[in-house]
Amino acid sequence: MFGMDEKMINPVYLQIVEELKRKINSGSLKPGDAVASESALSREYGASRMTVRKGLAILAKDGYIYSIPGKGSFVQKPELNKYTIYYDEMKNSINTVDRSRLLEVNIIMPDEKLAGELQITRNKNVIVIRRLFFTEGKPIAYDLKYLPYSKGMPIVEEELEQATFPEMVSGSVSSFSLKKELTIYAQPPDEEIRRHLKIHDDLALLVIEQRIHNEENKPIGFCVTYFRGDYIKLKGRSE
């Protein structure tokens, strides 16, 4: 009869992953060092080469190692300047949007810049959605979303009022296939945004552009959200 500890032992390929991660994180294996060969790991762990390859594939995906055909696997140099940023337009580390107001849903002809962002011709119709985001009754963000229009495309204003950008485009494509890109920068507000966000001083905006592509890497949406600088803070972490 097996004890609890024996039942909870990780599969062999995960043991390989954890042991090599430990050696790399502790400095026993340094960037550029060769990892033990598949045959050596097979003997050490009493596992098939297929099991070993499964573990090495996980390490490669996690950025710990890379492979050179015919030579083996080596420790990857860490990307110290690479961060993962969590972004939700309705919630950040210092604020949560508790209400949004739909200002406009319209069909427009894109200018040159917008047509370029959506990779369409200028005679192609685009849906524009304008919203205001509020926290405790105070307007904190002005939101613009642009979606290429196709005939018969449903526009349900009640749904658009509260939906996030990925939710707006996921009706026509699987959420798992969406590819998202962010551009973040600061800028002073123009008069229209000052009016919407009730800015009466030199407060800067944090502007976040979102681009969403489908699995063929074709743009299916472009969004610009102008946040009051005192109502948003983003955090990133290295993996």
Side-chain angles (χ1 to χ4, degrees), residues 100-160:
S100 63
R101 187 171 82 216
L102 188 63
L103 301 177
E104 175 191 30
V105 180
N106 206 351
I107 296 176
I108 63 170
M109 302 295 284
D111 59 18
E112 186 173 350
K113 180 179 183 301
L114 182 56
E117 290 287 355
L118 296 174
Q119 295 179 21
I120 57 175
T121 60
R122 292 189 61 183
N123 63 354
K124 172 77 172 178
N125 287 333
V126 172
I127 298 173
V128 59
I129 302 160
R130 294 194 308 122
R131 300 187 297 178
L132 275 179
F133 295 158
F134 293 83
T135 295
E136 296 179 350
K138 185 171 184 177
I140 57 95
Y142 178 64
D143 183 65
L144 291 169
K145 290 179 168 53
Y146 302 96
L147 309 172
Y149 176 76
S150 56
K151 190 173 181 181
M153 187 175 185
I155 304 174
V156 183
E157 295 189 1
E158 291 78 7
E159 295 178 2
L160 295 177

Side-chain angles (χ1 to χ4, degrees), residues 219-231:
I220 56 175
F222 175 60
C223 166
V224 188
T225 308
Y226 302 88
F227 288 92
R228 289 178 57 104
D230 52 353
Y231 273 81

Side-chain angles (χ1 to χ4, degrees), residues 10-68:
N10 283 333
V12 174
Y13 74 92
L14 289 182
Q15 294 178 40
I16 295 170
V17 170
E18 293 307 317
E19 178 61 16
L20 288 176
K21 280 186 177 182
R22 186 191 65 77
K23 289 181 178 179
I24 293 170
N25 289 333
S26 69
S28 298
L29 286 173
K30 296 178 172 56
D33 285 353
V35 176
S37 67
E38 289 183 6
S39 57
L41 289 170
S42 293
R43 289 193 299 272
E44 180 180 350
Y45 288 90
S48 68
R49 293 185 69 151
M50 183 177 295
T51 297
V52 171
R53 286 177 191 144
K54 189 173 183 179
L56 294 177
I58 292 173
L59 287 164
K61 182 180 178 181
D62 289 348
Y64 279 84
I65 65 172
Y66 64 94
S67 297
I68 299 177

Side-chain angles (χ1 to χ4, degrees), residues 79-95:
E79 296 187 61
L80 300 177
N81 294 322
K82 184 177 180 180
Y83 295 84
T84 299
I85 295 178
Y86 173 79
Y87 173 67
D88 181 338
E89 62 197 51
M90 298 297 186
K91 184 178 182 180
N92 63 75
S93 61
I94 62 171
N95 183 60

Side-chain angles (χ1 to χ4, degrees), residues 87 89 165-166 181-182 208-212 221-223 225:
Y87 173 67
E89 62 197 51
F165 195 30
E181 174 187 318
L182 295 180
I208 300 182
E209 296 180 354
Q210 295 183 74
R211 295 166 181 84
I212 296 186
F222 175 60
C223 166
T225 308

